[in-house]
Amino acid sequence: MAVRVVIIGGSFGGLTAACELRRQMGPDRVAITVIAKERRFTFVPSLTWVATGTRSVEQISFDLARPLAAAQAALVQQTVVGIDPERKVVDTDQAEHPYDFLVVATGHRSANEAVPGLGPVDGPGHSPMSVPEAVELASAVGALVRAPGPVVVGAAPGASCIGPAYELAFELDHLLRRRGLRHRVPISFVTPEPFLGHMGMGGAGKIRQLLEGAFEERDISYHTSAAVTKITEGVVEVGGSGPIPSILSIVIPPLAGVAAVAATPGLANLKGFIPVDDHYRQPSLDGVYAVGVAIALPPVEETAVPVNFPKTGHMTEQMAVIAARDIAARIEGREGSTAELSARCVLDMGDRGVYLAVDPVRPPRNRIPTVSEGRRWLLAKRVFERTYLWHARRGRRMPTSLGW
Ligand SMILES: Cc1cc2nc3c(=O)[nH]c(=O)nc-3n(C[C@H](O)[C@H](O)[C@H](O)COP(=O)(O)OP(=O)(O)OC[C@H]3O[C@@H](n4cnc5c(N)ncnc54)[C@H](O)[C@@H]3O)c2cc1C
């Protein structure tokens, strides 16, 4: 009988794990089931473009049925409510799914309760962290263009996904300049990072100098080691800096594990993130793996205001490949191999981009990080998005020569 592998999540982690496992082993050896609460894959990095009106959700997403059919994997659109590691069963709102191996790739929950007013569901703040939030933010940006006023962009204490905050500050600056409205919109950037470009990974090469120069050039005032303590309709309260007037506050929240993971005894830490070893196995539960934003990774260092380690889509895919190959190796009675995570990304600066490559992500690093700025990188980011979606829709991995 084929070994049963259940994968929870249909995003970077889940889809990559399913496709890679099928590449390793045919359907006679493994039966793959992907459980996802939404049946669409969304290219999450483009949610900032949804927020600023240059993409629709349809343009950056596709139905998971086609790539999973190509991977000969079953797609189950259900919401997982818990996992029973003793019985090796995943419970959803509709059924039980037994497994021999389980890969948890459920991403995050926005921990909006950490700061009063973080939103948009829980307060007047805005966020690009999910499709509905990005769509809501797009209408708030539309309102800003109709009635300009001060804006705060940034991240809350304990945030780990800070790159999109930089992108939104630059994209808003660019959008407002093009409309001749920038002089009516003071933009402030607030971040728990000890310096710009720390990004939870201790900085990278010249990214700090580049971002400081770019913000100063564009009249974006910035506050580092800043703890957002409260967001109201007209003000963002910041420990140390006092209140900053704001009619549009976009503050990235700290993240936590999703409810089903947090509710499973023995699976996750207090924040709901899953501890893993070098092979992305949960060390105390047999046959359980976790990849992507769902895993627990310690911060690189203690900072005055907490900043957590980033988990990017690129890193998530590397984790998913290691986990899938490890499952295949164990089915064959071998030990899988592992590798340090590296990261490459392009930050949208509105009229140009910055390419950033770090290897490994956690310092000290073997290579001096690459930091390169130019219009060509913004074009590369757009081409990458299209090419990625073209490949992923067909159940193929992005060729590594194209940068991921
Ligand atoms: C605005 C923004 C911009 C970003 N930009 C970049 C970038 O430029 N480059 C980069 O590398 N990374 C970027 N990232 C980070 C990247 O998007 C994440 O690292 C990536 O999405 C993580 O993938 P994942 O599979 O771990 O989780 P997610 O993408 O969060 O997916 C989680 C999956 O689990 C499913 N799920 C969750 N709970 C349940 C449940 N109970 N039952 C069933 N299914 C469930 C969801 O439906 C979804 O399919 C960005 C993130 C954001 C928010």
Side-chain angles (χ1 to χ4, degrees), residues 5-8 83 90 99-104 287-290 327:
V5 178
V6 171
I7 297 168
I8 315 176
I83 299 157
V90 175
Y99 64 83
D100 298 305
F101 290 95
L102 173 66
V103 181
V104 183
V288 178
Y289 290 70
I327 292 172

Side-chain angles (χ1 to χ4, degrees), residues 8-14 35-38 44-45 47-48 78-80 105-108 128-129 161 164 258 260 291-293 311-314 316 345 381 404:
I8 315 176
S11 183
F12 291 95
I35 307 175
K37 61 181 181 176
E38 296 111 14
V44 178
L47 287 180
T48 58
Q78 291 172 9
T79 299
V80 172
T106 43
H108 76 275
M129 296 303 292
C161 183
V258 302
V291 299
V293 177
K311 296 166 222 167
T312 67
H314 180 207
T316 298
C345 69
K381 189 172 172 83
W404 188 304

